[in-house]
Amino acid sequence: MTKHLPPARTSHKRFFYLTLALVAFFSSANLSKAQSPAPVIVVDTTQSADKARQPQVAIDQKGQIFIAFGQGNQLKCAVSKDQGKTFTVSTVGTGGVLSLGMRRGPRIVATNAGLVITAVAGAQGKGKDGDILAWRSTDNGTSWSGPLKVNAVSGSAREGLHGMAAMTDGRIFCSWLDLRSGKMEIYGAASADGGKSWNEDRLVYRSPDGAVCTCCHPSVAFSAEGTLYVMWRNQLGGNRDMYFARSANGGASFTPARKLGRDHWALNICPMDGGAIAVHDSEHLESVWMRAGSVFAARPESSEKLLGRGVQAWNTSSAVGVYNIWLEKRPGRLMLLSPGSNKPEILAEEANDPVIASAQGSNTLVVAAWEAKTGKEGIIQCHVISNSASK
């Protein structure tokens, strides 16, 4: 495992002017924050030996919210049928020692065929072994079947980092960092039946320099028409830049990899920050990621746009536009940039590993979730973002 990079240093003069700007910014941001509903505590395990960690969100077409998370070696799922006002929690299962931390942890998707949660677990865990395991629910998270092993070579997913996306019709694709060849590669596998079964896994990308970045999770997204995208951080020519590949046949084959953004990041260590992708208006791939302590958004073949200083970015596309979230530092303030806005607002003062998700179809519900840092670990919070946030 590699260490997370420290934040960039700031000169005293720059810090002075930045402080003045932040005072003005926070005054206006707090006004808009006060007009929004307060974040909801999804689960509080501060009194438990095993803390709730690494939330991931899915929303179905009815507006039901599902939040997967890990607690010790158990997978859990919190369900809200009242658009985030209250949650009930069920136990999904365990597959051994669960990978958690720094974007390791479960992934969840909601389709018309049911819910699917994937996670990496093994008998020893902690990078010694680990497989992609998938559980399935057809009763809105009340009960779960599985797990099914997704990767063909046992132990090849032991780094514990993966991504997943789905179509409402039940098509799913899962991608992960794979070590079957001894060097880190991007592999993936598809399900055409809502997670009942998984096709043979396939190589998505192998770096000509030997390995992709070893500790940054891949991201997956579908367009409304079914075009599949996978993004990862590459290790190529001494740079740790973001790349993506596209598939028009559900992951059976992929186009050659293409770089995102114009600039490069020369680095000889993994930054442990993989970013996220979403597809907007059925055709525009929207990516968000960190480079050298700053968060950027980019479309293919376009220059990247600076969103602000920070780490741990995530995005989602809804009917009203693209939402981006990130941390100013880890842990730190959680920032939200809504569609049509040039100024982010504060969702939380202390957070870790935030995610954001939206429902497919015409439902415009958008939900962010994160590990709360309030002096006590083990609290997962969520914030339901109304359509007014995009106006």
Side-chain angles (χ1 to χ4, degrees):
M1 306 289 178
T2 53
K3 295 182 179 180
H4 188 64
L5 289 178
R9 295 182 179 178
T10 306
S11 69
H12 293 297
K13 184 177 180 180
R14 184 180 176 190
F15 180 79
F16 173 76
Y17 288 113
L18 179 60
T19 301
L20 293 180
L22 288 177
V23 169
F25 168 74
F26 291 147
S27 297
S28 61
N30 286 335
L31 288 175
S32 62
K33 181 180 178 181
Q35 295 171 359
S36 302
V40 172
I41 294 178
V42 177
V43 62
D44 182 349
T45 61
T46 54
Q47 303 305 312
S48 304
D50 295 324
K51 308 304 182 186
R53 301 179 66 193
Q54 303 293 282
Q56 289 280 328
V57 183
I59 308 171
D60 68 12
Q61 289 184 305
K62 298 177 182 179
Q64 296 182 107
I65 302 168
F66 307 95
I67 301 181
F69 61 94
Q71 186 177 357
N73 292 322
Q74 292 283 336
L75 281 175
K76 302 290 183 75
C77 183
V79 181
S80 176
K81 298 181 179 180
D82 54 12
Q83 295 198 337
K85 295 181 180 67
T86 60
F87 284 86
T88 58
V89 178
S90 67
T91 297
V92 178
T94 184
V97 179
L98 183 64
S99 292
L100 291 171
M102 293 303 296
R103 298 301 196 188
R104 294 174 180 86
R107 301 294 189 264
I108 183 170
V109 294
T111 77
N112 291 340
L115 302 172
V116 174
I117 291 178
T118 53
V120 179
Q124 302 178 76
K126 302 185 183 303
K128 297 178 181 178
D129 63 1
D131 296 311
I132 304 288
L133 303 178
W135 288 260
R136 184 169 179 265
S137 174
T138 56
D139 56 9
N140 295 318
T142 301
S143 61
W144 295 86
S145 61
L148 296 177
K149 186 162 79 76
V150 177
N151 54 304
V153 178
S154 294
S156 65
R158 58 187 177 272
E159 184 58 39
L161 291 161
H162 74 296
M164 183 169 60
M167 302 282 290
T168 54
D169 63 8
R171 283 177 283 175
I172 304 171
F173 193 81
C174 180
S175 185
W176 62 90
L177 297 189
D178 193 281
L179 279 163
R180 69 186 65 189
S181 72
K183 293 184 177 181
M184 200 67 78
E185 300 167 336
I186 306 296
Y187 265 77
S191 173
D193 53 13
K196 289 182 183 179
S197 62
W198 292 83
N199 297 338
E200 180 181 358
D201 60 12
R202 295 178 180 273
L203 177 70
V204 176
Y205 177 79
R206 175 181 291 129
S207 172
D209 281 7
V212 300
C213 201
T214 56
C215 295
C216 293
H217 70 89
S219 298
V220 185
F222 279 99
S223 74
E225 288 73 27
T227 302
L228 170 65
Y229 297 88
V230 178
M231 181 182 76
W232 64 94
R233 191 180 294 278
N234 215 346
Q235 182 178 344
L236 193 61
N239 297 312
R240 304 286 176 133
D241 300 324
M242 307 305 296
Y243 279 70
F244 78 97
R246 179 175 57 84
S247 175
N249 53 19
S253 62
F254 284 85
T255 61
R258 295 161 58 190
K259 182 182 175 300
L260 287 159
R262 302 293 191 191
D263 293 335
H264 295 280
W265 191 14
L267 193 66
N268 61 2
I269 188 173
C270 177
M272 303 185 74
D273 200 330
I277 53 175
V279 181
H280 185 56
D281 288 340
S282 302
E283 57 178 338
H284 297 301
L285 179 67
E286 306 281 352
S287 69
V288 63
W289 32 267
M290 184 273 290
R291 182 177 64 215
S294 293
V295 173
F296 296 88
R299 287 181 176 180
E301 310 302 332
S302 299
S303 297
E304 54 270 57
K305 177 184 177 182
L306 176 65
L307 301 186
R309 294 291 295 175
V311 296
Q312 297 276 299
W314 208 274
N315 70 353
T316 192
S317 175
S318 78
V320 295
V322 178
Y323 293 81
N324 292 286
I325 58 172
W326 66 92
L327 301 176
E328 286 189 332
K329 61 179 182 177
R330 186 182 186 277
R333 286 192 177 99
L334 174 56
M335 312 305 295
L336 165 70
L337 184 63
S338 298
S341 176
N342 293 318
K343 183 170 66 175
E345 61 179 301
I346 303 169
L347 286 188
E349 290 293 336
E350 288 285 322
N352 255 353
D353 299 330
V355 294
I356 191 166
S358 55
Q360 296 186 31
S362 59
N363 192 314
T364 58
L365 186 63
V366 178
V367 176
W370 59 89
E371 293 181 14
K373 295 296 178 183
T374 58
K376 297 180 179 180
E377 295 186 351
I379 296 175
I380 290 176
Q381 288 186 306
C382 82
H383 181 90
V384 176
I385 301 168
S386 67
N387 293 344
S388 61
S390 66
K391 296 179 181 179

